[in-house]
Amino acid sequence: MNDFLRRLLFLPDQGATFSARVDHLHFLVILVTMFGATAVFATALWFTWRYRRRDELTLTPLVRAPVALELAVVVGLFGLFLFFWVLGYRQYVRLRVAPDDAMEVYVTAKKWMWKFAYPDGRRSLGVLVVPAGRPVKLIMTSRDVIHSFYVPAFRTKQDVLPGRYTTIWFETVAPGVYRTFCAEYCGTDHSRMWADVVALDAVQWEAWRAGADPSDLVAGMLHGDDREHGDRKLVSVAFAPSGVVQDGEPVSMAQRGLEVAARKGCLSCHSVDGQPHIGPSFRGLYGRVEQLENGTVRVDEAYLTKSMMEPMADVVRGYRPVMPTYLGQLQPAEVGALLELIRSLREPLPTPPGIGYPQLPTNPQDGPAQSYEADRGLETIPDESLAPAQAPAGTPGAPAP
Ligand code: CUA
């Protein structure tokens, strides 16, 4: 039934875990509205016949529906819409909220291409390589105009905006290649602003991390509807090692973020060891719920980027509003690296009992955090390398030069 309706409506394969659920809601709404439309038309036809004018002398009878019937129709329809809303809201939340253990990839859109940056320092152009069967969260921004990241097989889509970070997540159900489109008109080559999501199984994933070319790995593995176009090639595969490789090893985004933070002066006000300074420390910041002057905010990519671009908007209680704006001062790659730095510092340093940082909720199924970080290939930054940043010269408590 699912597959029959999917083909009837010309929908692509269901490539992500929530695709089938989205389709089921789609099918339900379509079937109910088609049934409703048929019922309305049939009633109209029947009324036309039933209440037709019989002869010249008979007056058309005045028909009044009982109040109970009118009430039943109004309440029934309202209940139906509420039912749709409840189902839709649950799906909306499922589609919008990425699981905590999602692997992050930073996405930069520009006319007319998609660039992907992985926390381990790798980058790719036009091809997003992900492990199949694991949640992946994309943290996206644009360098020029509004684009939109759309994967029809995943049934998910998100606008990509200049100067802001938006997120989207998915978990593929099987290894395969899924075509990505730009779904917001952005100029001459909008219709060719493609990318491919390449979902690899565990063996292929390891091969890719060891340096294999994704197009070799997925040869003959095109997914579902694409099998009929077996000669389809990946849009493009290009890894840009320049600038992110040191001694032949990719430099992790967190490491680059630390360099950006030092170069741009972030570390003069934000420590990385958990000690509040002129601004909140980067350590333990990500995921925390902060008290603002009016209300609270959960520190996520959206809040962090807003704080960089509009620092006066949501100042954390207890800090003076002295941060300058970095709007136009940071490249998207630098913002991404800073975000990854702050994310990598999400675990607070071990503190003596009694001082205690708010602990992040952990999911017991996630396994230990270390193996997760190692699994992502995230370099952990040894604390010695942070030493110069811990106590900037001229601050109270800094050792005398
Ligand atoms: Cu980018 Cu349309």
Side-chain angles (χ1 to χ4, degrees), residues 103-110 113-119 122 124 126-130 136-143 147-150 158-162 164-168 170 180 193 195 197 253 332-333 335-336 339:
M103 182 189 103
E104 288 87 18
V105 180
Y106 291 83
V107 180
T108 309
K110 62 183 257 195
M113 62 187 75
W114 296 99
K115 291 166 150 184
F116 304 100
Y118 304 82
R122 236 184 280 244
S124 62
V127 177
L128 169 60
V129 185
V130 300
V136 177
K137 178 178 175 183
L138 304 182
I139 302 166
M140 311 188 291
T141 191
S142 165
R143 292 195 67 147
H147 304 273
S148 185
F149 187 87
Y150 178 36
Q158 171 63 51
D159 275 9
V160 181
L161 310 171
R164 267 171 68 180
Y165 276 74
T166 51
T167 62
I168 190 176
F170 58 83
T180 291
M193 189 166 161
V197 179
M253 285 185 77
V335 176
L339 288 182

Side-chain angles (χ1 to χ4, degrees), residues 21-32:
R21 288 168 180 270
V22 174
D23 282 0
H24 292 164
L25 180 61
H26 186 178
F27 299 157
L28 175 73
V29 172
I30 283 205
L31 289 177
V32 168

Side-chain angles (χ1 to χ4, degrees), residues 229-246:
H229 317 282
D231 56 343
R232 222 199 64 188
K233 298 274 190 297
L234 294 180
V235 176
S236 66
V237 180
F239 290 94
S242 59
V244 290
V245 170
Q246 206 168 35

Side-chain angles (χ1 to χ4, degrees), residues 195-210:
D196 279 312
V197 179
V198 174
L200 301 175
D201 65 28
V203 176
Q204 293 168 325
W205 176 248
E206 287 310 317
W208 177 67
R209 292 183 48 158

Side-chain angles (χ1 to χ4, degrees), residues 110 112 114 145-148 182-187 190-191 193:
K110 62 183 257 195
W112 287 276
W114 296 99
V145 297
I146 301 179
H147 304 273
S148 185
C182 177
E184 183 67 54
Y185 182 68
C186 56
H190 156 74
S191 59
M193 189 166 161

Side-chain angles (χ1 to χ4, degrees), residues 43-157:
T43 311
L45 273 179
W46 184 65
F47 278 16
T48 311
W49 178 81
R50 171 73 179 76
Y51 298 105
R52 71 191 184 281
R53 196 172 187 194
R54 316 268 164 152
D55 57 57
E56 291 295 319
L57 297 177
T58 319
L59 288 175
T60 310
L62 180 65
V63 182
R64 281 192 190 281
V67 175
L69 180 65
E70 291 193 10
L71 268 181
V73 169
V74 171
V75 172
L77 282 178
F78 185 65
L80 182 67
F81 294 151
L82 273 185
F83 176 63
F84 284 161
W85 180 83
V86 170
L87 291 182
Y89 180 75
R90 286 161 49 116
Q91 287 214 345
Y92 178 78
V93 170
R94 191 177 291 120
L95 253 71
R96 299 308 315 174
V97 182
D100 283 343
D101 63 342
M103 182 189 103
E104 288 87 18
V105 180
Y106 291 83
V107 180
T108 309
K110 62 183 257 195
K111 295 182 191 174
W112 287 276
M113 62 187 75
W114 296 99
K115 291 166 150 184
F116 304 100
Y118 304 82
D120 65 4
R122 236 184 280 244
R123 294 176 189 180
S124 62
L125 180 68
V127 177
L128 169 60
V129 185
V130 300
R134 264 190 64 184
V136 177
K137 178 178 175 183
L138 304 182
I139 302 166
M140 311 188 291
T141 191
S142 165
R143 292 195 67 147
D144 37 44
V145 297
I146 301 179
H147 304 273
S148 185
F149 187 87
Y150 178 36
V151 189
F154 297 168
R155 311 289 191 273
T156 189
K157 175 162 73 175

